[in-house]
Amino acid sequence: MTDVRPAVSVDGPVESKVLHTLFHSEQGGHEQVVLCQDRESGLKAVIAIHSTALGPALGGTRFHAYASEKDPEEAAVLDALNLARGMSYKNALAGLEHGGGKAVIIGDPEQLKSEALLEAYGRFVASLGGRYVTACDVGTYVQDMDVVARTCRWVTGRSPENGGAGDSSVLTAFGVYQGMRASAKHLWGEPTLRGRKVGIAGVGKVGHHLVEHLLDDGAEVVITDVRSEAVERVRAAHPEVTAVPDTDALIRTEGLDVYAPCALGGALNDETVPVLTAKVVCGAANNQLAHPGVEKDLSDRGILYAPDYVVNSGGVIQVAEELHGFDFARAKAKAEKIYDTTLSIFERAVTDGVPPAVAADRIAEQRMADARRADRGDKSGKADRADAADRS
């Protein structure tokens, strides 16, 4: 295993973009960023810790190639920074005693993933001494976390056979559904999707569970996915579900009430927002807003946006519970509170005259600021007591 080093000596365009984001942008403010490399296994990874104000940083490990990007390594670091920051806000609003972090393993998991690579990655996570707790994300699964746990104790999302809670996508989907119920209550007066048309982009780990919640509630469901086998699996189980060719067709679907982005981020951008027919956006994908200002564009069009990091927090609630002796019923009860949290954000948005994304940020930032003040006060009190002891 090679040394773990802060990402402060990166050359070329990575330096100008990544370091600007880290040190000078409102999207920065991270406590620690670590670059990891193990030549023998082929591991290249970045671990970003945004905040530990509320407790150890908690967030998943993404395994992705960024093949469409001009500079995959640069894209991976920026993705880790954005995702880690999002986890701080997500964990704060979920009421967890955890800060935010995220890791990205760079490469195609179909070609690069191996037990040796995952074990090497686990050693890097372990080297942080518990400041970062990892779990599954895009490209990693329960069985992968079982392997990472061989070399690291700070791992959640493991299989039940290995002391874990299993697939966190179950409660992620449940939480998104609660967010949709809150959106329906706020906009239409009833906490149900019965008779509403809901479009889901991405019916993989989370999306296919969400389909079932919506059908049980009486919704009409339209789906799309870049993988035809994912669509076919849902259609085989639920022939009443309609499929469309791509996301562009989905967001333009006539009569769409709710749009649920459940794949990768950036789904809400300057091209998609103007043509979106839905009245509500509520989905599982992280970082749905492509850039600052999109939340205002949605609001100006009268589209209610349920902040992604609020409604998709069911998964992190599940894996956080694993650290304290997992009980599914207890975790589900906490995830059900996403309904109340989402409603309170909509109410705060109306009171403050801001988009819901801004209201959510304000609530999360207040909780983190309160925690930092309490921590400083506790440290100051300990110092005063120590001084008094020295004088006595």
Side-chain angles (χ1 to χ4, degrees):
M1 186 175 74
T2 53
D3 290 340
V4 178
R5 290 172 287 178
V8 296
S9 59
V10 184
D11 295 327
V14 178
E15 181 176 15
S16 60
K17 293 182 180 180
V18 170
L19 295 189
H20 177 79
T21 298
L22 183 59
F23 294 134
H24 304 291
S25 166
E26 291 183 359
Q27 302 303 310
H30 297 65
E31 293 180 8
Q32 187 176 10
V33 181
V34 176
L35 297 182
C36 316
Q37 183 167 240
D38 180 72
R39 295 186 185 278
E40 186 174 348
S41 66
L43 173 72
K44 291 182 180 179
V46 54
I47 301 171
I49 297 175
H50 177 260
S51 172
T52 55
L54 294 170
L58 173 62
T61 297
R62 178 163 294 190
F63 204 139
H64 190 60
Y66 301 89
S68 63
E69 303 290 341
K70 183 178 179 181
D71 188 330
E73 287 80 12
E74 174 189 349
V77 177
L78 289 172
D79 203 20
L81 294 178
N82 290 330
L83 291 166
R85 183 176 184 271
M87 288 304 304
S88 287
Y89 285 68
K90 178 186 293 190
N91 293 340
L93 280 174
L96 301 177
E97 295 182 354
H98 285 282
K102 205 80 171 189
V104 171
I105 298 175
I106 307 167
D108 182 350
E110 296 297 324
Q111 298 180 18
L112 191 62
K113 188 185 294 183
S114 68
E115 292 191 0
L117 181 146
L118 293 171
E119 288 175 353
Y121 169 67
R123 288 191 288 272
F124 279 108
V125 175
S127 73
L128 296 173
R131 281 176 52 79
Y132 169 62
V133 181
T134 196
C136 303
D137 196 75
V138 175
T140 59
Y141 301 87
V142 169
Q143 58 267 33
D144 298 326
M145 293 304 108
D146 285 345
V147 177
V148 174
R150 295 174 188 170
T151 57
C152 177
R153 56 180 288 200
W154 292 284
V155 182
T156 62
R158 293 166 294 154
S159 67
E161 296 78 16
N162 286 279
D167 185 7
S168 64
S169 63
V170 174
L171 286 189
T172 301
F174 179 71
V176 173
Y177 171 61
Q178 296 305 318
M180 283 190 189
R181 291 181 62 244
S183 300
K185 172 66 176 177
H186 180 79
L187 198 60
W188 299 306
E190 294 292 336
T192 177
L193 284 304
R194 180 170 297 279
R196 302 292 176 184
K197 184 182 290 188
V198 181
I200 304 176
V203 285
K205 287 198 290 187
V206 174
H208 83 276
H209 290 299
L210 183 58
V211 168
E212 294 173 356
H213 288 300
L214 292 167
L215 291 176
D216 288 344
D217 196 13
E220 178 185 352
V221 179
V222 185
I223 65 171
T224 192
D225 197 297
V226 295
R227 297 160 301 132
S228 59
E229 63 271 19
V231 172
E232 290 165 3
R233 178 177 67 165
V234 172
R235 293 270 294 126
H238 306 287
E240 67 272 35
V241 170
T242 303
V244 295
D246 52 36
T247 300
D248 187 59
L250 182 68
I251 64 175
R252 296 171 186 267
T253 298
E254 185 176 351
L256 195 66
D257 292 299
V258 181
Y259 170 47
C262 294
L264 296 176
L268 303 172
N269 54 50
D270 296 336
E271 288 73 43
T272 59
V273 171
V275 299
L276 185 60
T277 59
K279 303 172 183 65
V280 172
V281 176
C282 179
N286 288 309
N287 295 334
Q288 293 171 24
L289 304 177
H291 59 77
V294 175
E295 71 281 358
K296 185 177 185 302
D297 295 338
L298 288 165
S299 182
D300 289 346
R301 286 207 58 214
I303 298 171
L304 181 65
Y305 171 62
D308 50 50
Y309 68 80
V310 177
V311 302
N312 69 11
S313 62
V316 76
I317 289 171
Q318 179 169 325
V319 297
E321 278 292 306
E322 185 179 315
L323 298 171
H324 309 289
F326 183 67
D327 180 273
F328 184 81
R330 185 177 62 208
K332 186 177 182 181
K334 289 185 178 181
E336 196 167 9
K337 293 179 181 178
I338 291 171
Y339 173 86
D340 295 323
T341 302
T342 306
L343 268 183
S344 69
I345 287 166
F346 292 151
E347 292 165 1
R348 173 72 177 266
V350 171
T351 300
D352 291 1
V354 297
V358 176
D361 285 355
R362 289 178 178 177
I363 295 170
E365 287 163 359
Q366 186 63 53
R367 184 173 184 229
M368 288 186 279
D370 289 346
R372 284 191 290 268
R373 279 194 293 271
D375 184 57
R376 286 196 295 269
D378 184 56
K379 290 179 179 178
S380 176
K382 288 180 179 178
D384 290 343
R385 289 191 294 273
D387 288 343
D390 288 342
R391 289 193 297 270
S392 61

